Amino acid sequence: MMEVGVIGYGYWGPNIVRNFQGLGDVHVAAICDRSPAALRRASSINHGVKLFDDPTDLFSLRDVDAVAVVSPVWTHFELAKSALENGKHVFVEKPFTRTVAEAEQLIEIARKNDRLIMVDHTFLFTGAVRKIRQLIDEGTLGTLYYYDSMRVNLGLFQHDVNVVWDLAPHDLSILDHLIQKNPEAIIATGETHLNGFEDVAFITIYFPDNVIAHVNVNWLSPVKVRTTLIGGEKRMLVWNDLEADEKIKVYDKGVHVKGGEGVYDLLVSYRSGDMWAPKVDQCEALRSELSYFVNCINSGEKPFNDGEAGLRVVKMLEAAEISLKGKGKAVYL
Ligand SMILES: NC(=O)c1ccc[n+]([C@@H]2O[C@H](COP(=O)([O-])OP(=O)(O)OC[C@H]3O[C@@H](n4cnc5c(N)ncnc54)[C@H](O)[C@@H]3O)[C@@H](O)[C@H]2O)c1
């Protein structure tokens, strides 16, 4: 039986606790939150679990093998560092850290202490992303052209980060997983309206081989939209994550250009074939991810969403932040 501790019992922490508890071979030994109200909520649902307001008390529990850091971004580095130095494996929320330097330090500390880091890139465990990865790997879409995502809703305004650090990690981790190449350059624009942090932002990411990605994140949208278009040479798809069924629709559409002598001699033909909705696994992503975390610890397997994956996302976020402050100046990686 693996003993785990969870730090941070706000909005997302209860989901981590519930999913750990749903795994047969895991026991949630302790929950830590510095807010008395959060601890009261935790005690009413999780009987027999030790409760602390100081993470040091949790780290000193010798039986605890792993710790999940589910607190705000600015606390991730110190908490994950202490956990690793106390011999715990860590599951850290997205985004991994606030800076590239912090992410690199954590990776080094984990290596020295022979501990594992997993970064919560939840979307990689959804049936939709797993299906899209399969369609790409099998060559169904052909050579990739673009990824265009709209991730907008009203709020939730964060107090410590802008909309890029809050919402874009999802798309950036998905891009990293699907494209499997390091980006070349990032351009980001955005604006602040209410609390001093950018609440609307548009990020363009250039990948090798003419693959381009665009991510639109917004806390000021009247409606919630979670729609991504992915275009390839052979086929294109639309992923609407708010659809209960048929989240992904694959379109057998494409454009073929035949060369002539000059621009006016080019022959452009359009192909419009069938559309189909592949079956998408509906299991809870977080449960699969936490089960994978436990399996990786037990087997010694290196997770694909490890500290390095977290670092690659933080590199993109840091570049986007620099570009944002420079009003869309291109940042080369
Ligand atoms: N993977 C996902 O889909 C997903 C979804 C939501 C949030 N998150 C991530 O989860 C993390 C937490 O987000 P949230 O929305 O739950 O935030 P939240 O503000 O609702 O909750 C954070 C909790 O951490 C506690 N806390 C803060 N500093 C602490 C410390 N030093 N020691 C102990 N407790 C501390 C706070 O009291 C609070 O209860 C963030 O990194 C966020 O990006 C991930």
Side-chain angles (χ1 to χ4, degrees), residues 7-8 10-12 33-34 70-72 76 93-94 120 122 170:
I7 304 177
Y11 162 66
W12 196 243
D33 198 299
R34 61 182 192 180
V70 201
S71 46
H76 290 183
E93 265 317 316
K94 65 81 193 159
D120 184 7
T122 326
H170 294 308

Side-chain angles (χ1 to χ4, degrees), residues 85-142:
E85 287 173 344
N86 279 279
K88 318 295 184 198
H89 300 284
V90 290
F91 181 86
V92 187
E93 265 317 316
K94 65 81 193 159
F96 183 25
T97 54
R98 272 301 271 147
T99 65
V100 166
E102 286 180 353
E104 286 172 341
Q105 269 194 64
L106 289 183
I107 292 168
E108 182 55 20
I109 295 167
R111 194 192 57 75
K112 271 194 192 143
N113 289 276
D114 194 21
R115 297 294 88 179
L116 177 150
I117 295 175
M118 184 178 278
V119 180
D120 184 7
H121 290 160
T122 326
F123 270 96
L124 308 189
F125 294 83
T126 59
V129 172
R130 282 192 280 136
K131 178 57 73 178
I132 295 169
R133 173 75 193 258
Q134 185 192 333
L135 292 168
I136 291 173
D137 287 352
E138 289 171 355
T140 306
L141 302 186

